[in-house]
Structures are given as structure tokens and as C-alpha cells.
Amino acid sequence: MHYHLMPLFAVLFWCASVAAAAAIDVKAAVLRVDYPSLLPISRYDLRPDDLGFSGAMLADEDNGTTGSFLGHTYDTAHVAVPPEEADAALEQILADGTRLIVVLSNAEDLLRLSDKAAEAGALVFNARAPDIALRDDQCRGNLLHVTPSRAMNADAVAQFAVWKKWGDWFLVAGSNPDDIALADAFRRAATKFGAEITEDRTFEDTGGSRRTDSGHVLVQRQLPLDTQDADDHDVVIAADESDYFARYLSYHLWDPRPVMGAGGLRPVSFHGAHEAWGATQYQTRFEVLTGRYVQPEDYDVWLALRVIGEAVTRANTAEPDGVRDYALSDAFELAAFKGQKVTFRDWNGQLRQPILLYDGSITVSVSPQEGFLHQVSPLDTMGLDRPESRCTAFE
Amino acid sequence: MKSLFLSTALAALIAGPALAGKAFVSNERGNTITVLDTETWEVITEFPGGNRPRGITVSPDGTKLYVCASDDNIVKVFDTSTYEELPSLPSGPDPELFVIEPSGKRLYIANEDDNLVTVTDTETRTILAEVPVGVEPEGMGISPDSKFVVNTSETTNMAHFISTEDYEIKHNVLVDQRPRYAQYTADGSRLFVTSEIGGTVTVMDIDADGAPTVVGKIGFEVPGVQPEWLQPVGAKVTSDGTRLFVALGPANRVAVVDAQSLEVLDYILVGQRVWQLDFTPDEKYLLTTNGNSNDITVIDVAAEKAIKSVQVGQQPWGVVTIE
């Protein structure tokens, strides 16, 4: 009998001591879909096994420290599956009673998983898919986007080019669907900010030119030929989400020009050398925890879980609707080591945020650039603005 | 003629070393401390301050200078007249900001990387306690009666009220994003906490037992400056409790606030990325560290005007003055 009594007393006492803040145990999950993929051009871009999950571990620590003063606990499950097991994995997460789910997958899987999660009343955070349609006519009311869209990334690059007065662009696009989608985002950005694409070419993916076996010898001969006779341009904009050529462009062009986009200066949500605005502490915490540098997916997952933590801390709720409503409300704001608060666009669920322009070594610049003004927030000069988005799920 | 010469010499003698106050500025990037004469505003000297010196303060008698050498994980101690380095104090990892109690005995240090506040005895040079606080502790304030130390945690977004008797947290108050600094009024009845990313100063009334009640929030607005860049960091309040000065970081301005009505009265243009503030002991001047322009701005407190800027070392962070 007394075996049962002790824990009961402990629970009662604990409840009383945090009664003011109402104890909440926050359960979340990170579902990562691992697609078969080729090796990246650079070894630095190899995907670690704990990609994304490490961001979740750090978020649980950060949220948990805050929660320790309020009687809130955080426990996030990590699930990595091949695409054919994604649906079953989601069902298991839902069966475990979890209703706050961060998903790293492509757009097609994300939409299907989000709709399935909606049936169970769950809230989903997109931490990988940059597709514009997800923020446009394909948006979902239970799907919030932490990862920047292709439009935001392209606009971030375009603003920097325009600020530099590099108004004439040579666009080099890959031939795979994601490359084509990114090239479209750059064309849209050029129109939006008054740049001109003086040369528009496709670099066919023929399956060659990987890094091993002296790939650089072929690249050094081929790329100048592929980029010769282009109309006058100030900068080369590379659209290569498949990662098969853009990294090679710098130093191998016919005309010596800076490269931006998928090679050279790249738009990222975060990187392991970012130090401004207190980010050094974030890097230190992450490295102590994981023994490696942070990648954008880790940061995006961390940020998604910090959004949840903020809702729990400020609005005292871990219910999917409560978190969503708080995140979309005017009261929501979050510091994210980017120099200003990040908030959500209440018309399509996209997180507004500065975009870092990264050369593989340092933060070269941060967009939005000076002089790009907006009636609501300079951050809304990047991505789909309210009048542009056809999303109605948040109305 | 003779008497004129004499009296001038006498005046020079009197006005000389006896009255010359000093300001010490920690230069975060330059790893040095710049020493200024607060009469002439000339730089007297610059000496090594350890790696990444940030928080800077002095013993109550003004003889010892304490510096958070963040990357050395210690508090460096210097003689304020000879600049000789004295034995260091243990601080715990990555000390950023600290506050010394009025008696000078205990130093309360925020360990930014470890979610701790370390309490160090300045006489025995030992650690008395480590208090777990929120994520990225930074701002440190102490109540004038020494009963409470307030720590702000930048990612947890709380002001933690730590009892100096048992080192337990007695109150936690949620404030806006990225709280940077905590400043009590001299009578201990009010506390101001700046929030860098939130863009606000949270105002708390403090009761006789030291318990806080949030009574207001100060916001800032400068025509032509994007609201995102109005980022409150350092803050100081005059000893009569009438004026609060708030450093606004990348807005390059110091806000002048009526500390009673909480109305913002004016914005004083200073150097770039204004960070921390300190009054001269007579409160005639307020000094600001300007991290991106590598200088300090001298503000005439009564006139509420900037009167001078002085070049110091690389990326000045904190400032403290002595008589």
C-alpha cells in the first residue's frame, strides 16, 4: 500500500508548487523522410544521420530550461523513414497521442501527411519544403512554414544584386523539376525588383560531373565553353537545387563574374559560422550537444519547436489550435538570432524572417537589403505578400 | 602679475590629480581596456584586458577594476591607479555581465553558455554558489538593499529574482524577447528590464519584500528609423529616479525617458551600435559605448545633449567610471 502512496504525495506536492502556471507536458515529433539521393558536390554538404534531430534536441533543452520555471516539460520524438514508410510513421506518431509535428519531406509528401494529420487535429510545421505552391493555392490551415520559400530565397538574392547595382543577370538553370522551379522564382524576383535576365540557359543534367575521379578536370574544360557568348551580364544566377553544377561555376565561367543563388553566394536560413546577434551562443550550445556544425535543417527544426515553446510559455497551451492561433496572432514574436523578431504571415502561415547570404565561410550580407521598404514589414518584401498569395485556408 | 601666476599655479594644483576621474572601457574585439580622463576626455592609456572583455565594474572604493574576460572564462582584476593586474577571480564559463554588491564582497556573474549565475567571493576568490537560470543569462541587476539579484535570460525571456540569502530564485517574470539589462532605481522601488528584440523596456514596481509587479512597458519610435532597429540594450536611471536613459543599439540613439510617467522625452544621437552606459560618479555625464564606431559618446546629463565623442579601442562594449 505505501508503495503507491509516496509517488502520489510527490505528484500532489509538485502540482501545488507550480499551480500558478499550470503544468503542461509538451509532446512533439520530428518526422524526417529520407529520399534516395546522390552525394553532394562538396563533402561539407554530406547529410549527418542526426540532421534536423539535433535541432530538436537543442530546442528541447532550451524550451525545457524555460519550462523548468513554469512547470512545463518538453519531449520530442525523432523519426527517420524512407518515403514508402512515411504514412505509417505519421500514423504511429498520431497513435502515440502527439499532435505537434515537424516534417522534413518534399512538398508532395508534406501535403499528404499534413492532410492526414489534419484529420487527427494535428498541427504540422514544414522544415524543409521550399515550394511556393505550399504558401499559395496549395496552402493548408494546419501547416505552418518555418523554412523560407523559394520566392523568399530568390528575393533575398535579387535584393542584394540590385543593391550592388548588378542589374543584368545570366540565369543558368538545372534541368530537374526543383531546378526549374527555382529558376522560375529567380525570373519572378528579377521582374519584382527590376533586374533584367540578359541570358537564360539550361545546364542539362546528364548524370556526369561528380566530384570524384578528377571531375574538376572535365569541369574546367566544359564550363567555360558552356557559358561563352552570353549577352552582357553583371552576375551569374544559378538555379540548381539538385546540386550538380552550381558549386562549380565560380572560377570556371567564360566571363569572370560573381555567382549567386545555388553556388557562390547562397541564401540560407542559418549556417554554422553565423555569429551576429548573439548567434555565437547558439553555435556553442549546438556544437557542445552534437559535436558538429549546425545546418539549416537543424535550425529550422529548432525554430519550429521554439515557436511551440513560445506558445506554451506565453499562452499556456500545447493544443494544436492554441499554438496555431497564438503563432498567427499579433502577440507572437520570437528572437531567432537574426537581429529582429520573427513572426508569421497570417495569410499563408509562412514565418517572416531575414535570409542570410552565405559564401560557404561567412555571412556576407543579410536580406532584406537597406532601401527595400514595405508598408507592413521590410521582411514582407521577400516571398509572397498578402495580395500575391492565393492562400485562403487562413481566412 | 606674480600673484596671478601663483594663483593660477595653485588652481592647477588643486584641479590636478585630486579631481581627475577616470572611465574604463572594455574593448570586446581589441581585447583591451581604454582609460579616459573624465575631466579632459583624453585617453590616458590602453592596456590588455584578457580575451573578449565585456562586463566591467569597479569595487565600491574604486580601487579595483573587474573585467569579464569572456573567452578566458575568468574575471580579471586590475588596480585602477597603476593598471597592474591582480589575482583573477573564478567566474564559471563565458562570463558576460556581472554586478557587484554594494559591500563589494560578492560578485554575481552571468555565464552565458551555461545557463548559470555564478556567485564569487571577491576576498577569498572562491565560488560560493552556482544558480541555474534560463537560457543565455545576460543582464544582472542588484537591489540597493542587496537582498535580490536580478538576472535576465535572453532566450528564456525572463527576469529571475535570486535571493542573496539562499541563492534561490524567488520570482520569475516573463518579459519581451531577448532581455539584456536590469536596472533598479536607487530607492529600489522600481526595476527596468530592456528587451533587445522585443524593442521594449518592461517596468516593474518592487514591493517592500522585493516582489515585482509589472506596471508598464516603454516602447520607442524614431521617425525615419525602422522599428526593427530600435533595440534597447544598456540602461541607467538617475539617482533621483527622474530620468531613465536607454541605449538603442543599432538605432545609434540613447532614449531619454521620464522614469515616473514612462514617457519617452527625446532621442540623443550617439555613435554606432550603442551598447552599455554609465554615469560619471557626480552624474554630470553619461558615457555610452558605441561598438561599431569604436568610440564613446559623452552626454551632458542636465542638458540631455551629446557633447563629445572619443575614439577608444576595437568594439567598445562596457564602461565604468570612478572619481
Side-chain angles (χ1 to χ4, degrees), chain A residues 277-295:
Chain A
W277 304 305
T280 312
Q281 285 95 256
Y282 179 94
Q283 308 288 6
T284 311
R285 287 207 303 283
F286 187 88
E287 286 155 23
V288 166
L289 191 68
T290 63
R292 65 173 175 85
Y293 293 123
V294 71
Q295 299 206 14

Side-chain angles (χ1 to χ4, degrees), chain A residues 59 66 69 98 111 120 124 151 154 162 165 171-172 190 232 257 262 273 301 327 344 382:
Chain A
T66 303
F69 301 107
T98 301
L111 275 185
V124 175
V162 169
K165 302 200 179 350
L171 179 66
V172 189
D232 284 353
R257 293 288 181 274
V301 170
F344 280 94
M382 304 190 298

Side-chain angles (χ1 to χ4, degrees), chain A residues 46-341:
Chain A
L46 288 171
R47 289 172 175 271
D49 289 343
D50 60 354
L51 186 67
F53 299 153
S54 290
M57 280 166 61
L58 183 63
D60 274 2
E61 278 198 1
D62 287 356
N63 286 334
T65 302
T66 303
S68 68
F69 301 107
L70 299 166
H72 304 155
T73 66
Y74 294 83
D75 183 17
T76 303
H78 307 163
V79 184
V81 289
E84 60 274 16
E85 291 172 24
D87 292 74
L90 178 74
E91 278 158 26
Q92 187 56 51
I93 288 167
L94 294 170
D96 290 343
T98 301
R99 293 292 179 271
L100 300 167
I101 306 163
V102 183
V103 175
L104 297 121
S105 78
N106 67 25
E108 189 188 344
D109 289 343
L110 178 63
L111 275 185
R112 195 182 63 256
L113 295 169
S114 296
D115 288 345
K116 190 168 279 195
E119 288 168 23
L123 180 63
V124 175
F125 292 84
N126 170 17
R128 179 177 285 166
D131 304 68
I132 296 172
L134 296 172
R135 287 87 170 163
D136 199 13
D137 55 344
Q138 294 293 303
C139 71
R140 296 291 189 271
N142 71 322
L143 177 59
L144 299 179
H145 308 278
V146 172
T147 293
S149 65
R150 283 191 187 107
M152 290 166 72
N153 286 327
D155 289 349
V157 170
Q159 286 191 10
F160 184 71
V162 169
W163 189 89
K164 294 290 294 180
K165 302 200 179 350
W166 296 340
D168 291 341
W169 297 2
F170 177 2
L171 179 66
V172 189
S175 57
N176 300 306
D178 286 348
D179 310 331
I180 292 166
L182 182 58
D184 284 342
F186 280 122
R187 290 189 193 98
R188 180 185 161 278
T191 307
K192 183 172 173 180
F193 297 110
E196 194 183 344
I197 295 174
T198 57
E199 188 76 27
D200 194 331
R201 289 187 191 176
T202 299
F203 189 90
E204 285 293 334
D205 187 356
T206 55
S209 71
R210 289 281 155 185
R211 70 173 190 272
T212 49
D213 233 357
S214 308
H216 67 275
V217 176
L218 280 177
V219 163
Q220 190 167 340
R221 288 187 184 163
Q222 279 173 356
L223 270 181
L225 297 178
D226 289 335
T227 57
Q228 72 177 327
D229 297 331
D231 264 359
D232 284 353
H233 55 277
D234 302 309
V235 60
V236 171
I237 305 284
D240 174 27
E241 265 187 33
S242 322
D243 185 37
Y244 68 94
F245 71 93
R247 296 302 186 92
Y248 294 120
L249 287 177
S250 294
Y251 308 105
H252 288 309
L253 297 166
W254 184 269
D255 300 306
R257 293 288 181 274
V259 176
M260 299 201 289
L265 195 63
R266 289 177 288 139
V268 293
S269 60
F270 211 67
H271 62 84
H274 183 60
E275 286 208 280
W277 304 305
T280 312
Q281 285 95 256
Y282 179 94
Q283 308 288 6
T284 311
R285 287 207 303 283
F286 187 88
E287 286 155 23
V288 166
L289 191 68
T290 63
R292 65 173 175 85
Y293 293 123
V294 71
Q295 299 206 14
E297 285 93 335
D298 299 306
Y299 173 82
D300 291 354
V301 170
W302 173 83
L303 195 49
L305 293 169
R306 282 289 296 124
V307 170
I308 294 170
E310 199 59 20
V312 174
T313 302
R314 306 269 174 182
N316 249 300
T317 177
E319 292 302 316
D321 286 347
V323 172
R324 175 188 177 277
D325 291 349
Y326 182 73
L328 294 170
S329 74
D330 288 342
F332 178 84
E333 58 182 50
L334 187 57
F337 304 101
K338 290 189 179 184
Q340 57 177 294
K341 53 194 161 199

